[in-house]
């Protein structure tokens, strides 16, 4: 299991992962972020709080702002302990772009979206997270959002 830092928020610990564990980042992109002082997912979320800060980071890295939007969304979802870096990409591909959206989306609707995505991509229902797991993601997102 990878090392991660946790910050207590209510009874849920918000996770802070090394930037290298965020899915979808190339080694070059990781290095660029680290050169900007962004070494963890919490730092990435902090640097991507507003459109202005996202645009500034995109300009500094000389990349399109859509990449910053994606990385910040992944980092925001990864702070939820039961989601982490393992499921943040799945949630993003299922259309969830923030912990706030995860907290607001009905569990049955989200599970249905994820099931469709998993079946379409890997053609197996067995690899889909259970309804209970999606429910845990939602609950933890609600607690984190309520306490921030």
């Amino acid at each position: 299991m990878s090392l991660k830092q946790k910050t207590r928020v209510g009874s849920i610990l918000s996770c802070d992962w090394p930037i290298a564990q965020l899915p979808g980042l190339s080694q070059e992109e990781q290095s660029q972020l680290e050169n900007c002082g962004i070494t963890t997912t919490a730092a990435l979320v902090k640097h991507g709080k507003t459109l202005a800060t996202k645009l500034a980071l995109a300009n500094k890295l000389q990349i399109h702002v859509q990449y910053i939007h994606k990385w910040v969304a992944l980092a925001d979802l990864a702070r939820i302990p039961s989601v982490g870096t393992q499921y943040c990409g799945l949630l993003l591909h299922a259309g969830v772009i923030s912990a706030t959206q995860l907290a607001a989306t009905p569990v049955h609707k989200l599970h249905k979206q994820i099931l469709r995505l998993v079946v379409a991509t890997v053609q197996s229902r067995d690899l889909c997270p259970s309804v209970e797991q999606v429910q845990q993601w939602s609950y933890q997102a609600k607690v984190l959002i309520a306490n921030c």
Side-chain angles (χ1 to χ4, degrees), residues 4 9-10 21 29 45 49 51 66 73-75 79 88 100-101 104 115 118 120:
K4 60 184 172 185
V9 178
Q21 293 182 16
E29 292 163 339
V45 170
K49 282 274 187 209
L51 180 57
Q66 75 184 26
L74 288 167
R79 70 190 178 103
C88 62
T100 303
Q101 183 182 358
L115 180 61
V118 169

Side-chain angles (χ1 to χ4, degrees), residues 22-77:
L22 200 62
L25 285 176
S26 70
Q27 185 63 46
E28 181 183 345
E29 292 163 339
Q30 292 171 29
S31 295
Q32 288 178 312
L33 287 170
E34 289 170 357
N35 289 339
C36 292
I38 301 171
T39 60
T40 67
T41 54
L44 181 55
V45 170
K46 183 180 176 184
H47 279 82
K49 282 274 187 209
T50 67
L51 180 57
T53 58
K54 287 176 186 171
L55 286 169
L57 184 57
N59 286 334
K60 189 172 187 178
L61 298 176
Q62 298 182 345
I63 60 171
H64 196 280
V65 73
Q66 75 184 26
Y67 293 107
I68 305 299
H69 286 299
K70 176 184 172 184
W71 299 341
V72 170
L74 288 167
D76 183 42
L77 291 166

Side-chain angles (χ1 to χ4, degrees), residues 111 114-116 118-120 122-130:
H111 185 262
I114 291 170
L115 180 61
R116 265 190 248 130
V118 169
V119 169
V122 295
Q123 284 130 25
S124 173
R125 298 175 71 100
D126 298 342
L127 299 175
C128 184
S130 67

Side-chain angles (χ1 to χ4, degrees), residues 124-146:
S124 173
R125 298 175 71 100
D126 298 342
L127 299 175
C128 184
S130 67
V131 173
E132 293 80 17
Q133 195 167 10
V134 175
Q135 193 169 25
Q136 183 180 30
W137 298 343
S138 178
Y139 169 75
Q140 289 181 351
K142 288 173 186 171
V143 171
L144 287 175
I145 297 307

